Amino acid sequence: MSDTSQAGDMPHSAALFDRSRRVMPSGYTRHMVVAKPHPAYAAKGDGCRITDVDGNSYIDWVNNFASQIHGHNKPEIVDVIRRQVADLMVAILPTEWEVKLAELLCQRIPSLDRVRFTNSGTEANMMAVKAARAFTAKPRIAKMEGGYHGQYDLLEASFQPRPDQWGDASAPRAAAHQAGTPQSLLDEVLILPVNDIATARALLRAHADSLAAVILDPFRLQVGLVEPRHDFLAMLREETARLGILLIFDEVWSLRLGYHGAQGCLGITPDLTSMGKIIGGGLPVGAFGGSAAVMSVFEVEKGDPRVKHSGTFTANPMSMAAGFTAMDLMTEAEFDRLNGLGVRMRDGLERLRVDLGVTGQVQGSGSVSALLLTDKPMGNYRELVACIGDGLLERQGLLQKQLLKEGLLTMRGGYIGSTAMDENDIDATLAGVGRALAKMKTM
Ligand SMILES: Cc1ncc(COP(=O)(O)O)c(C=O)c1O
């Protein structure tokens, strides 16, 4: 939950929230925007800035949870959407846009020979799981304790388990994330401890006969807090290949790390990749793909496909046109520039941390950075929970509130950059972060 109470005058947002509470539970339809006493309601985005309905302006460091890699109002994207809305919003016939976006993804992302589209990252992961089951003829899925993959109930298991749900560290239990989750569903999931090579390897070997796939976000679990180590990822690649289990990289978030996705940066190629966010150019989207052999479960030449997949808005030309345009603008040079801004941000945060004597650590990669106000290790989900028990989220929440007063819109003091930013925006942000941290020291 964020705190907008000190952000500035917000009478119009307050009035909208009052109306909202009469028609939506507690006034919300996305829990990630919950704020105290109410959220700021957005009116307009422009480049890297966003203005709320009361005229308060912020540098947008959330970018709709990383989907807006070009920030707001990118002229080329606005133009293509305008043209497409006039030509054809959606129809039963496929369009050239889906072919162009599929070609672009297959050319760039090492694991992709064939790709299919969905409407969200959640749906992409769900379909990747179905493909893996059909291909391997095995039913169960392994995921990391603390891993987030959207809202497909199977993959929600052990996203944020409480310590009383954990079980022994050598055999973590699959814990329900939602009230009412059936035990039979949890039985279909094997939970692995991220970065514990010996335990994860032993669990994979013990359960290989029933496992269709291992899924993980190769960049960071829990929206940025725990990073899988390269040797852990390499072990997963080696073991899954040996045991006849597919490796799925959930790159819904991490595709923004580079021209060839996180898998290109890591030099590790999964069997299946799910995508979303940046590949829609700001409109709803998802995609998943893999080798021609694995993706053959969707082929129709020999009759009914082994996995059936459709969707009213799947590959709608609006998302495909915006997505292709956004991705086409993300040349290798543009990824380098954006990631260079990320380096400038992390260097600046580290300087502030040292100069101001702040207890914490700077983390991040590519265009995503954070100053986490703890010096304790966060190598796995259980260590993260220990930091949270130590007040980490409260400190990050306080930082977010101070940053908002500086006109910086962040999610708990994390910074997700966009190509709409330049070095001046980074320096202005760092100046604001410095003032916010100095203020926090006096509290
Ligand atoms: C790693 C990861 N997987 C899946 C999702 C779900 O994507 P969507 O919100 O488009 O369903 C997200 C969303 O934040 C994510 O970060």
Side-chain angles (χ1 to χ4, degrees):
M1 181 189 298
S2 59
D3 187 333
T4 56
S5 52
Q6 306 294 318
D9 285 339
M10 292 193 175
H12 291 96
S13 282
L16 281 172
F17 189 62
D18 267 356
R19 283 169 55 196
S20 190
R21 280 197 308 186
R22 281 179 227 132
V23 284
M24 289 182 255
S26 303
Y28 295 100
T29 189
R30 300 205 278 182
H31 280 134
M32 65 190 185
V33 304
V34 171
K36 231 171 54 182
H38 57 75
Y41 283 72
K44 187 164 167 48
D46 188 16
C48 68
R49 279 162 218 278
I50 189 157
T51 308
D52 69 20
V53 287
D54 292 291
N56 303 302
S57 170
Y58 317 92
I59 297 186
D60 187 354
W61 277 105
V62 185
N63 283 301
N64 193 39
F65 263 105
S67 67
Q68 310 305 100
I69 199 163
H70 295 296
H72 305 284
N73 291 11
K74 181 81 175 166
E76 293 88 336
I77 300 176
V78 173
D79 277 357
V80 81
I81 291 175
R82 266 209 190 102
R83 273 184 277 123
Q84 194 57 39
V85 87
D87 283 352
L88 178 71
M89 280 174 74
V90 65
I92 185 62
L93 303 178
T95 65
E96 186 180 355
W97 287 116
E98 72 186 54
V99 184
K100 285 167 73 124
L101 184 54
E103 284 169 349
L104 182 148
L105 292 172
C106 288
Q107 272 155 21
R108 287 190 189 182
I109 309 302
S111 61
L112 302 184
D113 293 336
R114 301 282 186 274
V115 72
R116 288 174 76 90
F117 292 102
T118 63
N119 295 294
S120 67
T122 294
E123 220 186 302
N125 283 325
M126 180 179 78
M127 291 313 303
V129 163
K130 291 186 190 195
R133 285 194 194 123
F135 185 74
T136 60
K138 295 192 278 183
R140 297 174 73 223
I141 302 296
K143 64 160 291 195
M144 304 302 130
E145 191 168 50
Y148 181 63
H149 302 291
Q151 297 171 85
Y152 174 34
D153 50 9
L154 189 78
L155 299 182
E156 284 185 321
S158 291
F159 163 40
Q160 290 172 318
R162 300 182 311 269
D164 63 294
Q165 297 176 302
W166 285 354
D168 195 84
S170 62
R173 277 210 307 263
H177 181 61
Q178 311 281 12
T181 303
Q183 182 57 45
S184 56
L185 197 117
L186 300 173
D187 293 342
E188 299 305 320
V189 186
L190 175 72
I191 302 299
L192 302 178
V194 70
N195 291 335
D196 180 342
I197 291 182
T199 303
R201 184 189 277 134
L203 285 168
L204 285 177
R205 289 181 182 173
H207 293 268
D209 286 352
S210 64
L211 283 177
V214 177
I215 185 168
L216 88 164
D217 173 344
F219 170 44
R220 279 169 183 269
L221 282 64
Q222 288 275 324
V223 195
L225 294 170
V226 176
E227 183 169 7
R229 286 196 322 264
H230 193 275
D231 58 348
F232 182 78
L233 293 168
M235 178 281 292
L236 287 183
R237 179 60 291 183
E238 197 184 306
E239 282 297 320
T240 51
R242 218 173 51 78
L243 297 169
I245 302 167
L246 298 187
L247 181 61
I248 307 175
F249 275 2
D250 174 351
E251 291 226 34
V252 169
W253 170 288
S254 67
L255 210 76
R256 71 158 39 229
L257 288 192
Y259 189 76
H260 302 291
Q263 56 198 263
C265 304
L266 291 161
I268 297 178
T269 305
D271 300 297
L272 281 163
T273 300
S274 17
M275 295 155 282
K277 297 195 193 268
I278 66 166
I279 68 160
L283 295 183
V285 83
F288 64 99
S291 66
V294 173
M295 293 297 283
S296 71
V297 298
F298 296 97
E299 287 176 1
V300 295
E301 285 86 347
K302 294 186 189 132
D304 260 1
R306 278 186 281 164
V307 181
K308 298 163 189 79
H309 168 227
S310 219
T312 304
F313 292 104
T314 294
N316 74 81
M318 305 293 297
S319 297
M320 298 293 102
F324 174 80
T325 306
M327 292 301 288
D328 197 42
L329 288 165
M330 287 309 303
T331 57
E332 290 191 71
E334 194 59 346
F335 268 109
D336 286 348
R337 187 183 75 82
L338 179 62
N339 292 347
L341 294 176
V343 172
R344 188 180 183 93
M345 187 69 190
R346 286 188 287 284
D347 288 350
L349 288 173
E350 179 60 13
R351 257 196 318 276
L352 286 172
R353 189 191 70 73
V354 173
D355 290 352
L356 295 168
V358 173
T359 303
Q361 51 191 300
V362 174
Q363 291 203 2
S365 321
S367 51
V368 183
S369 312
L371 170 56
L372 300 172
L373 301 174
T374 177
D375 55 4
K376 303 226 166 71
M378 282 183 287
N380 60 44
Y381 174 74
R382 295 183 186 196
E383 287 181 359
L384 168 66
V385 170
C387 293
I388 291 172
D390 222 18
L392 174 65
L393 291 188
E394 286 77 9
R395 289 193 292 280
Q396 297 297 137
L398 198 60
L399 177 58
Q400 173 177 326
K401 183 171 152 180
Q402 294 304 321
L403 292 173
L404 205 64
K405 288 193 210 172
E406 298 291 338
L408 301 171
L409 183 67
T410 68
M411 192 50 72
R412 294 213 178 101
Y415 308 89
I416 302 164
S418 72
T419 64
M421 295 173 173
D422 62 18
E423 294 183 349
N424 293 328
D425 299 308
I426 305 299
D427 296 345
T429 297
L430 288 168
V433 177
R435 287 190 295 273
L437 288 171
K439 185 84 178 284
M440 275 177 74
K441 290 212 89 173
T442 65
M443 295 171 124

